[in-house]
Amino acid sequence: MTVRTRILILLSAVAALAAVGLASVLHASARADRRDRPQAGGPQVTSGTVSLTGHGRMVFRNMAWGPHRDELTSVPAAGPAGPRTASGVKCLRFYAASGTGVCLQAVHGPVSDTYRALLLDARLRTRHHYDVPGIPSRARVSPTGHFAAWTAFVGGDSYAGTNFSTRTAIVDTRTGVLIPTLEAFRIVRDGHPYRAADANFWGVTFAGDDRTFYATLATGGHTYLVRGDLRARTVTTLHANVECPSLSPDGTRVAYKKRVAGLSKDAPWRLYVLDLRTMHETPLAEPRSVDDQAVWKDSRTLVYALPGDYGADLYEIPASGSGHPHRISPAAVSPAYLP
């Protein structure tokens, strides 16, 4: 093979790679352009005022394609599939209670994205902001609005496997004082002090006393429901095989996802409710795997996200184990109910 032939082959290969790269860029650009256009038959979304003190409302991240994708939007809680009011504030994860919101947000850079947590007031104005050391995953606000928590993946990007690590932070929304990681808390497992380098926490949910919280602890290949004490800086194991707990409004039950033997490793969970007094588990009537931290709509009903055509759809189901799942809102995720 002559030098000239080799050069021609090299130039052809470079041209082919350039064409593939250009095609990929154009495809991504076209897809982004489509995402900025309202979808046919999708929910009606218009700009307006969104408040975290609007009684009888549901606020959530809008996933519908169009100019308001990823914005916090509001609908009547009694009509969650109806027209949406968009705020202009974009979040990847969101939650709110008592006029305080937490918004986990991407900051787009020239090379890669970074992430931050915003504490929002009732008019969605930023009061404090904090760097988040990984991909946002979970967010919660205490019933009083005095504390907020978030979880991010700092290694891996899915709970389905075992090769991931998380960082969970809690902040006092009144003072702005941040607890950057629950890994600094003392662990009590089965009544004894416990220390392990692989301890991982995620999915905080708060009680109404501004002291108690619940979360998931993973260590030694197992997960546990833990009860945390913000004053004592301790977490105590209560029950095994619990992930992403969500405390009921009366503080007596925890909804969670549980790994069930025999299911696919990519979709291993089913929804359950745990009675904190008796430790009795009730499986819910959702046959699909749910990778979400469910929200209590009220004392009888849970709401959660499942994959949909435009990212995720919201479903509700009775917390008693009866009934069947019902889709309440398409192209939506991270709901918060304003009673």
Side-chain angles (χ1 to χ4, degrees), residues 68-83:
H68 301 292
R69 183 177 171 88
D70 297 328
E71 292 183 22
L72 296 181
T73 53
S74 175
V75 294

Side-chain angles (χ1 to χ4, degrees), residues 10 45-46 49 53 83 88 164 201 256 286 312:
L10 176 61
V45 189
T46 56
T49 300
T53 56
F164 70 88
F201 294 92
Y256 61 100
E286 171 55 82

